[in-house]
Amino acid sequence: MAATGRAAVLLSPPDVGADERASLLEAFDSGWVGPVGPDLAAFEAEAVEAVGGGHAVALSSGTAALHLALRIAGVEPGDRVLVPSFTFVASAAAVTYLGAEPVFVDSEPRTWGMDPALVARALEPGDGTPAPSAVVAVDVYGRCADYAALEPLCARAGVPLVEDAAESLGSSSGGRPAGSFGEAAVLSFNGNKIITTGGGGMLLARGAAAADRARYLATQARSPVPHYEHEEIGYNYRLSNLLAAVGRAQLRGLGARVARRRRTFERYAEAFAGTDAVSMMPRGTAGESNCWLSCVLLDAGAGLTPERLCAELAAAGIEARRTWKPLHTQPAFAGAEMIGGGVCEDLFARGVALPSGTTMSDEDQDRVIAEVLAVVDRARSGALTGGAGSTDGVAA
């Protein structure tokens, strides 16, 4: 990022302070430095309370949680699993860990999440294609997928639904909190998420038996005997007690963090209301999305690509990022089946995520807004020529 003489405005940096430091040192001084301890159990219990029920298993990453959720759902080598194309790679990578095949599904414009109509089509029997063994729905940028449609679809087909709520802790849909949908849900506590443990994740299971199975697999599938006994292969996936202590402090501030990000979204929306070159991501009613990242779409006639906007902002010391490149266009998934595609390809071709962190001041956000509008004006006047990022496309 180019130097501007001012501090950089980052996309979504960790927001930690005195409370997290005190919690970490308290856990350290207690002697519970090893993988498990009282803060780990307490973090799990408090997360369950935050999402309104179920059973939690704190893990080393959200990806690990997805892997275990799919394994417990019964996904096996050769199975087909429906996954949205417009998401981070982990949502599909976890499918491949089990030797299964991701089948990508296009987005719908209202939530940017998986299109229920296309899921319904994929779940219909009769064309000779093996039925999907599971569905992974992703809450994109904090906006819950359309679970009012997806849950009954999966229930009628007898196919387990997993909610990838990595980006949506603190969101809700239909009066239910994110993390409470499907047979299992996963959270991420990566450094850029709305709360962080510096890395980590959580599996939220509906039943105690599923949570116990996940906890067993996450601790190398060690049998409960005095010596090391392993009847099957497990994983080293448990979150540490020290990181759980940080997570507990972060979770206490969840409400304030959500409120701040929603306010950031509202300030962007107000600032861009006067231009037809930039439109905000739909967020539903004011109390639904946690607005993890505030995303905008550039009008096709604005003469400005997302790649170029990000480059211009970087030159001004502002970190922005293009929206998710659809997974069906990624080299790692070349040849994978895709259902639809036009909507998510357009979201990538026109989308940009703007700085949205809870540590960003109003003055810094005003700086971002002013720079975006200035770049738009230069593009429309023809003054924005040459330089990096003048072309882009989903096949790039």
Side-chain angles (χ1 to χ4, degrees), residues 176-266:
R176 289 171 55 185
S180 69
F181 297 97
E183 294 192 13
V186 304
L187 303 176
S188 170
F189 307 128
N190 190 30
N192 63 358
K193 295 302 188 291
I194 199 155
I195 72 167
T196 183
T197 58
M202 189 170 285
L203 172 64
L204 300 164
R206 304 299 160 237
D212 289 345
R213 174 69 174 161
R215 191 172 288 108
Y216 163 75
L217 290 171
T219 49
Q220 300 285 21
R222 181 183 174 186
S223 299
V225 296
H227 57 277
Y228 287 98
E229 183 83 12
H230 305 271
E231 297 180 3
E232 58 183 312
I233 300 298
Y235 315 96
N236 184 17
Y237 277 175
R238 283 293 261 158
L239 188 71
S240 79
N241 190 68
L242 292 181
L243 294 184
V246 175
R248 295 183 69 194
Q250 288 270 292
L251 194 58
R252 287 192 289 271
L254 176 62
R257 287 177 169 82
V258 171
R260 176 63 190 174
R261 293 199 187 232
R262 286 173 175 164
R263 182 171 180 272
T264 295
F265 185 101
E266 290 165 0

Side-chain angles (χ1 to χ4, degrees), residues 105-123:
V105 179
D106 201 4
S107 304
E108 50 96 11
R110 186 173 60 87
T111 65
W112 291 15
M114 176 182 277
D115 188 334
L118 298 180
V119 172
R121 190 173 81 190
L123 292 175

Side-chain angles (χ1 to χ4, degrees), residues 272 277-278 296-298 303-316 318-322 350-354 368-369 371-376 378-379 384 388-390 392:
F272 298 142
V278 179
V296 298
L297 291 178
L298 302 178
L304 180 65
T305 66
E307 189 176 6
R308 187 60 187 274
L309 176 59
C310 290
E312 293 292 321
L313 292 176
I318 297 168
E319 182 184 20
R321 188 169 296 169
R322 297 186 65 178
R350 299 196 292 126
V352 175
L354 296 177
V368 176
I369 291 166
E371 192 63 36
V372 169
L373 293 175
V375 174
V376 167
R378 292 200 299 274
L384 195 64
S390 58
D392 67 25

Side-chain angles (χ1 to χ4, degrees), residues 318-345:
I318 297 168
E319 182 184 20
R321 188 169 296 169
R322 297 186 65 178
T323 51
W324 302 124
K325 180 178 181 180
L327 294 182
H328 73 279
T329 70
Q330 297 280 1
F333 297 107
E337 182 181 348
M338 176 66 190
I339 303 172
V343 174
C344 65
E345 289 176 7

Side-chain angles (χ1 to χ4, degrees), residues 9-13 15 141 194 255-273 278 280-281 283 286 289-296 318-319 352-369 372:
V9 182
L10 301 178
L11 185 71
S12 183
D15 181 4
Y141 295 118
I194 199 155
R257 287 177 169 82
V258 171
R260 176 63 190 174
R261 293 199 187 232
R262 286 173 175 164
R263 182 171 180 272
T264 295
F265 185 101
E266 290 165 0
R267 294 186 85 242
Y268 278 133
E270 181 179 355
F272 298 142
V278 179
M280 300 296 298
M281 171 187 178
R283 71 164 184 172
S289 177
N290 66 7
C291 300
W292 170 57
L293 291 183
S294 292
C295 296
V296 298
I318 297 168
E319 182 184 20
V352 175
L354 296 177
S356 307
T358 52
T359 60
M360 181 174 63
S361 66
D362 285 356
E363 292 75 17
D364 281 340
Q365 188 180 8
D366 290 341
R367 177 179 152 198
V368 176
I369 291 166
V372 169

